[in-house]
Amino acid sequence: MCPTENDLSTVRRTLHRADGDSGNSRVEQKERTRQRLIESALALIGAGSGYTALSLREITREAGLAPAAFYRHFRDLDELGLALVEMGGVTLRRLLREARRDGIPPTDMLRGSVQIYRRFVAERSEVFRFIAGARGGGSRAIRDAIRTEESHFASEMAQDLRTLGTLPELSSATLQMICGLVVTTMLNAASDILDLPDGHIQAEREMIENFVRQLRVVFLGAARWRDD
Amino acid sequence: MCPTENDLSTVRRTLHRADGDSGNSRVEQKERTRQRLIESALALIGAGSGYTALSLREITREAGLAPAAFYRHFRDLDELGLALVEMGGVTLRRLLREARRDGIPPTDMLRGSVQIYRRFVAERSEVFRFIAGARGGGSRAIRDAIRTEESHFASEMAQDLRTLGTLPELSSATLQMICGLVVTTMLNAASDILDLPDGHIQAEREMIENFVRQLRVVFLGAARWRDD
DNA sequence: TATTACAGTGAACATATGTTCACTGAAAGG
DNA sequence: CCTTTCAGTGAACATATGTTCACTGTAATA
């Protein structure tokens, strides 16, 4: 009856979050299985099947849940897809952050950035697989969401170039246009890299080299650009 | 009863190929329904559903055939997909041919080419929808086939630039690399154009303008490029 | 402590799918 | 003319899918 008791136990549960992993409250548990669903979807994508080939039952099976449980977290597959898009967005943001933190190699800044990117694509390959697959394939809503995310990424990149003092005479609009070009080139390269027969490091080298050169062309053109 | 009668009718059918459409022989008939299957697939893609969402039964239904008839023409859906890729290839070749025939507008050759391209995308929208959708989404075999087709297209384009005398100081390898960049930019633009909410011609204008500017950056960079 | 909210279950449903098989009818060819 | 070939049929199959519903146990709450 004493009102403090329940408060205390609640608090205890809430505070114990340090040991075990990350909480036991009801909402936390729910959030955790939601994440489990998302990660199961990513795992399946990583295991080969494209996003469009994904089925609700497959995902819940992978997550160890009954099919009906899916509806407690997402209205339909597209909603799960949108969560994946968002996850793709944070991955890209992390990429930028990391590139910023590492600082740009003094001489060959382009090749350096590409190396970081290459590592990122390899490490979070499922995410890039998803984006590459759903960018043209998925439902309308998902394609739009991906486009939005790409655009945000391009803006952030333009902002970074600004702060870095690269291409100082270009207008913001032009910078944005150029970063858009860079982004599509990046995503296209990711898709190519992921489809490389593994082992053939020579083919990978060539592909990366081609990628670097394409970016060089873009920045060469950007430096030459005159707004009017 | 008279033996000539059958022969005559056969001959009549065979020779009459001029009127009606294109023949009645057994192989011709088969080829025609094969085409019907391909076009049904394209129609379904045009009507919204992505290539990966296509089903054998859906296609035969659209074509007015029993599901089992499909196997008389393709081993599985992927084989039909490869036929679609090839069709995409000839579409791109036609694009180049048409651009060549029309001749390049003296002053603004880039904007002119983009206009031709825009028209092509609009007219054969289903083909471009398919390519955009299957480029990242479809099965491994199909993605590879599309990549091959893109590469051929890039080569042919490089060849054209050579004959046209554009960028004369670039090596063939460099030219190929640059055309590769142009091709991915083109396909990306196609996918963007096709997703435009129709009616909004202002949005289309901006999108095309952005596309033109991106290509301008690429060619500006190409002109600046020095092989070493 | 008794009540409520609700994440997850398991069974059932209506529908779709790919693939098989023996078949039919008409064109092709000896 | 008689036989062979073969594109297309229609029914059946095993399997998959999305969605529903009444349910159960347990955490939250009052």
Side-chain angles (χ1 to χ4, degrees):
Chain A
M1 301 293 180
C2 147
T4 48
E5 202 202 40
N6 284 322
D7 292 340
L8 275 181
S9 62
T10 301
V11 167
R12 196 183 304 129
R13 252 196 307 278
T14 305
L15 290 185
H16 258 239
R17 192 181 300 182
D19 59 285
D21 31 347
S22 70
N24 273 330
S25 88
R26 203 133 168 183
V27 295
E28 286 166 323
Q29 181 60 255
K30 175 165 185 181
E31 177 59 23
R32 218 173 300 135
T33 83
R34 192 189 125 102
Q35 287 302 327
R36 193 143 45 94
L37 283 170
I38 293 180
E39 276 161 24
S40 299
L42 274 183
L44 288 170
I45 288 173
S49 41
Y51 161 72
T52 36
L54 241 49
S55 80
L56 180 153
R57 288 185 110 103
E58 217 177 347
I59 294 173
T60 52
R61 209 179 304 137
E62 173 84 10
L65 295 176
F70 185 90
Y71 296 101
R72 303 283 176 204
H73 302 273
F74 305 100
R75 188 186 307 279
D76 53 20
L77 273 174
D78 258 28
E79 204 166 295
L80 191 263
L82 291 180
L84 287 180
V85 173
E86 198 183 319
M87 169 167 282
V90 320
T91 299
L92 290 179
R93 267 155 244 269
R94 259 222 297 253
L95 167 62
L96 269 188
R97 185 147 47 83
E98 188 142 335
R100 234 172 291 155
R101 183 172 54 73
D102 281 20
I104 307 299
T107 50
D108 204 346
M109 68 165 270
L110 237 143
R111 183 168 263 105
S113 307
V114 166
Q115 284 309 332
I116 297 180
Y117 183 58
R118 194 198 56 77
R119 224 197 54 222
F120 240 76
V121 171
E123 276 172 7
R124 316 270 310 163
S125 62
E126 331 84 22
V127 180
F128 283 92
R129 269 222 160 75
F130 163 72
I131 294 181
R135 214 163 73 103
S139 74
R140 181 66 197 265
I142 286 192
R143 278 174 302 178
D144 285 347
I146 291 184
R147 252 188 276 271
T148 303
E149 217 64 51
E150 285 183 29
S151 160
H152 284 150
F153 179 60
S155 295
E156 212 165 316
M157 186 176 164
Q159 177 66 32
D160 273 25
L161 291 186
R162 261 281 120 83
T163 346
L164 234 72
T166 333
L167 304 168
E169 53 243 41
L170 294 186
S171 74
S172 294
T174 304
L175 211 53
Q176 171 83 16
M177 173 273 282
I178 285 166
C179 287
L181 177 54
V182 171
V183 171
T184 70
T185 307
M186 282 173 61
L187 290 184
N188 199 76
S191 152
D192 286 353
I193 292 173
L194 289 172
D195 271 353
L196 275 175
D198 37 23
H200 293 207
I201 67 164
Q202 177 58 17
E204 171 162 359
R205 229 185 274 281
E206 284 173 22
M207 171 142 293
I208 294 286
E209 191 55 29
N210 195 60
F211 179 28
V212 170
R213 285 208 283 245
Q214 289 186 336
L215 287 183
R216 213 186 289 288
V217 169
V218 171
F219 280 101
L220 229 47
R224 240 335 210 196
W225 184 276
R226 292 296 168 263
D227 283 310
D228 43 358
Chain B
M1 304 290 180
C2 143
T4 47
E5 202 201 42
N6 284 323
D7 294 339
L8 275 181
S9 63
T10 301
V11 168
R12 195 183 302 131
R13 253 195 307 276
T14 306
L15 292 185
H16 257 240
R17 194 181 295 181
D19 59 284
D21 29 348
S22 69
N24 272 331
S25 88
R26 206 137 165 179
V27 296
E28 286 166 324
Q29 180 61 255
K30 174 165 185 182
E31 177 58 22
R32 217 172 303 134
T33 82
R34 192 188 126 102
Q35 287 302 328
R36 192 142 47 91
L37 282 170
I38 293 179
E39 275 161 27
S40 299
L42 274 182
L44 289 169
I45 289 173
S49 40
Y51 162 73
T52 36
L54 241 48
S55 79
L56 180 154
R57 288 184 111 103
E58 217 177 347
I59 295 173
T60 53
R61 208 180 303 137
E62 174 84 10
L65 295 176
F70 185 90
Y71 296 100
R72 302 284 177 201
H73 303 272
F74 305 99
R75 190 186 305 280
D76 53 20
L77 274 173
D78 258 28
E79 204 166 295
L80 191 262
L82 291 180
L84 288 180
V85 172
E86 198 184 319
M87 168 167 281
V90 319
T91 299
L92 290 179
R93 268 155 242 269
R94 259 222 297 254
L95 167 61
L96 268 189
R97 185 149 47 83
E98 188 142 335
R100 237 172 289 155
R101 183 173 55 73
D102 282 20
I104 307 299
T107 49
D108 204 346
M109 66 165 272
L110 236 143
R111 182 168 263 105
S113 307
V114 166
Q115 284 308 332
I116 297 181
Y117 182 60
R118 193 197 55 76
R119 224 198 52 223
F120 241 77
V121 171
E123 276 171 7
R124 318 270 310 164
S125 62
E126 331 83 22
V127 180
F128 283 92
R129 269 222 160 75
F130 163 72
I131 294 181
R135 215 163 73 103
S139 74
R140 181 65 197 265
I142 287 192
R143 277 174 303 176
D144 285 347
I146 293 184
R147 252 189 278 271
T148 302
E149 217 64 52
E150 285 182 28
S151 161
H152 285 152
F153 179 61
S155 296
E156 211 165 318
M157 187 175 163
Q159 176 66 33
D160 273 24
L161 290 187
R162 262 281 120 82
T163 347
L164 234 72
T166 333
L167 304 169
E169 53 243 40
L170 294 187
S171 74
S172 294
T174 305
L175 210 53
Q176 172 82 16
M177 173 274 281
I178 286 164
C179 287
L181 177 54
V182 171
V183 171
T184 69
T185 307
M186 282 173 60
L187 290 184
N188 200 77
S191 149
D192 286 354
I193 293 172
L194 289 171
D195 272 353
L196 276 174
D198 37 23
H200 292 206
I201 67 163
Q202 177 58 18
E204 170 163 0
R205 227 185 275 282
E206 283 173 21
M207 171 141 294
I208 294 285
E209 192 55 30
N210 195 60
F211 179 28
V212 169
R213 286 209 283 243
Q214 289 186 336
L215 288 183
R216 213 186 288 288
V217 170
V218 170
F219 280 101
L220 230 47
R224 244 327 213 202
W225 183 275
R226 290 296 168 262
D227 283 309
D228 44 354

